Every structure is written in C-alpha cells, then in structure tokens.
Amino acid sequence: MKSFFEGIQWLFDNIILALHEVLRHLELSNWWLANLVSWTFIIIGSYYSWYWIKQLQSHKDNNEENQDTTAHSFLK
C-alpha cells in the first residue's frame, strides 16, 4: 500500500506539477517572464468576461431573456 501512495507522489511531483517547478525556478532569474503566464491568463479571462457580458446585453436588448420569477418550476 505504501508503494501505491509513493507512486501517486511521484506522479504529482514529476509529471503534473513539473510546470510549477519550472516557473518557480524561472521566477528567481526573471520575474517578468515568470509572471507573463499569469498576465496571459488574466487577459484571456478579461476578454471572455467582456464577451459574456456583451452577449448577455444583446439577449436583454432583444427581449430574449425570460425574467419571470416562475421561469423555473421550483420557484412557483
């Protein structure tokens, strides 16, 4: 049973979390390059949040949104 958990530890340490180790070592040498990954995710998330809000507004402007409180059966 001990070897099973050691296998899981090896999987996470050497395979799944290897990118985190690379970023940790990269941060010590170049902070800007290491944080480029974070800024990329922030920019992507901001774009898709803007797109989602734009789509919600277009549905609201076309009166396609059902805002009736009885739209769901559990609210009756």
Side-chain angles (χ1 to χ4, degrees):
M1 191 64 158
K2 181 180 177 184
S3 62
F4 173 73
F5 289 110
E6 287 175 349
I8 293 174
Q9 176 188 356
W10 178 86
L11 176 71
F12 276 86
D13 285 346
N14 296 329
I15 307 282
I16 297 175
L17 298 176
L19 179 61
H20 293 284
E21 287 294 318
V22 170
L23 288 175
R24 184 171 67 93
H25 291 293
L26 181 63
E27 185 179 16
L28 296 176
S29 62
N30 189 344
W31 182 88
W32 291 101
L33 189 59
N35 284 303
L36 181 67
V37 175
S38 299
W39 283 106
T40 304
F41 284 129
I42 288 171
I43 290 169
I44 291 170
S46 298
Y47 171 75
Y48 282 108
S49 296
W50 169 80
Y51 180 78
W52 180 30
I53 291 170
K54 187 178 102 173
Q55 290 296 317
L56 288 174
Q57 186 64 39
S58 70
H59 286 290
K60 186 176 180 182
D61 292 342
N62 293 335
N63 292 326
E64 296 174 2
E65 186 177 3
N66 187 3
Q67 294 184 347
D68 187 15
T69 57
T70 59
H72 301 285
S73 62
F74 58 86
L75 294 175
K76 290 183 181 180

